[in-house]
Amino acid sequence: MSPSLLVVGATGNTGRGVVETLSNSIHRHTAGYRILALTRSSKSATAQQLSRLPNVTIVETNWTEITADWLREQNVVRAFIASHNNPNQFAEESTFHLAALRAGVKYVVRISTTAANVRPDCDAYYPRAHWAIENMLQSPAFEELQWTSLQPNVFAAFWMGPAAELIKSVRSGKKQDTLRLMANPDTPVGIIDAYEVGILAAHLLLQEDVSKHSKARYTLNGPEDITGNEIVKMVEDHIGVKVEDVSFKDLSFLEYMVQAAPQESRNVIMSIRHAPEIAWAGLCKAETTSKEVLDLAAPRNTPADALVALLQ
């Protein structure tokens, strides 16, 4: 069987960028490899689109059930994983990495979270899980598994999503509702398109020699900063009138998250309210992007591009 590049979460915004970039580029780098695009539903529109790409094989399975035997059977040599951020993330993602180690997978690219949050004392719960996974991978026990952790600061869809929804609502003839933004008014943040994170991950997977990227943690931002006030101005430009009411640093969506996951600790879920604090403090500017990211696949999509994409 041909050696395989495994993409976990292939139909997500990040994973789709990985699969499409690999398919477009693999013949120039690693001929003879096949791309295993993992999805929970092979019948979804995105999965069907990906299945038509060269060298792509759609595999319908739950990544949390992947074993070392399965990885050996599929001859997986390199892998990408974008895990969930649920409270059981460490248990499930660490199980995947252990299976990769046992199966002799050579290299894994994983998606982490906001660089300045990945520490053991972060008040939000999920960055601590990312910190724990990265430190597990860096331990001597995992010496045989090379890996790179990508730490995107803020995904554009999260930051700009409410702006797009208000624009769509006004265009449909509805009365303006409150514009609820996670951004604060004046702090610049280098939001990044998730698809471009996938492009970078694909470039890493295609490197002939990945050793110089092993055990690396790369900070990712988009090419331009944007403030909350600038998002408001963009909305006004699209709807042609003044935004009537804005709620900055708005995290009211967390109550919906708690209600949607009654089996989880409210205290744990609500700790997410601390996650944007480092962005509000000015620690997520475009200038913090790692040099290696700019050398390999510099992000190009601006906040204006992100808004246009969300409006389509």
Side-chain angles (χ1 to χ4, degrees), residues 10-140:
T11 54
N13 290 333
T14 306
R16 187 168 55 86
V18 179
V19 174
E20 292 180 353
T21 305
L22 287 176
S23 180
N24 290 334
S25 308
I26 201 167
H27 64 280
R28 298 196 300 269
H29 297 268
T30 50
Y33 282 63
R34 64 176 184 147
I35 303 161
L36 294 184
L38 210 68
T39 178
R40 286 176 294 180
S41 174
S42 60
K43 296 180 181 179
S44 71
T46 302
Q48 291 296 308
Q49 291 170 2
L50 295 178
S51 70
R52 293 190 284 270
L53 296 176
N55 301 309
V56 173
T57 299
I58 298 293
V59 179
E60 183 177 284
T61 192
N62 189 336
W63 70 266
T64 61
E65 301 303 321
I66 286 176
T67 64
D69 286 343
W70 187 90
L71 292 168
R72 291 190 199 97
E73 290 166 3
Q74 300 298 326
N75 197 15
V76 173
V77 294
R78 296 184 181 185
F80 165 85
I81 179 169
S83 175
H84 59 72
N85 276 344
N86 297 332
N88 63 338
Q89 176 195 348
F90 179 82
E92 295 191 332
E93 188 180 341
S94 64
T95 297
F96 172 85
H97 293 302
L98 183 59
L101 176 69
R102 298 286 188 246
V105 174
K106 301 302 181 185
Y107 180 52
V108 174
V109 178
R110 65 176 300 273
I111 300 298
S112 181
T113 190
T114 311
N117 272 346
V118 183
R119 60 184 197 274
D121 64 341
C122 183
D123 290 311
Y125 78 87
Y126 65 89
R128 298 196 302 270
H130 284 289
W131 175 85
I133 289 167
E134 291 175 0
N135 279 270
M136 179 192 78
L137 291 173
Q138 196 163 7
S139 70

Side-chain angles (χ1 to χ4, degrees), residues 176-220:
Q176 273 195 47
D177 197 357
T178 299
L179 175 58
R180 302 184 183 279
L181 299 175
M182 280 192 282
N184 69 355
D186 302 311
T187 305
V189 176
I191 61 175
I192 185 166
D193 184 342
Y195 188 91
E196 292 196 305
V197 177
I199 291 175
L200 173 66
H203 279 272
L204 286 165
L205 290 170
L206 290 169
Q207 294 296 298
E208 183 175 345
D209 178 12
V210 298
S211 60
K212 64 182 178 181
H213 301 292
S214 185
K215 298 182 175 62
R217 300 166 173 85
Y218 293 148
T219 301
L220 285 76

Side-chain angles (χ1 to χ4, degrees), residues 229-277:
N229 283 329
E230 289 169 341
I231 296 174
V232 174
K233 177 63 167 57
M234 290 173 68
V235 172
E236 292 175 340
D237 289 344
H238 277 272
I239 64 178
V241 295
K242 184 177 178 60
V243 172
E244 296 171 359
D245 184 37
V246 184
S247 175
F248 291 110
K249 300 170 69 172
D250 191 293
L251 301 175
S252 55
F253 65 89
L254 289 177
E255 286 295 339
Y256 297 101
M257 291 183 64
V258 170
Q259 294 170 19
Q263 75 282 6
E264 305 292 356
S265 161
R266 176 183 175 86
N267 187 39
V268 170
I269 299 300
M270 290 303 292
S271 73
I272 295 173
R273 70 186 183 276
H274 297 290
E277 290 174 351

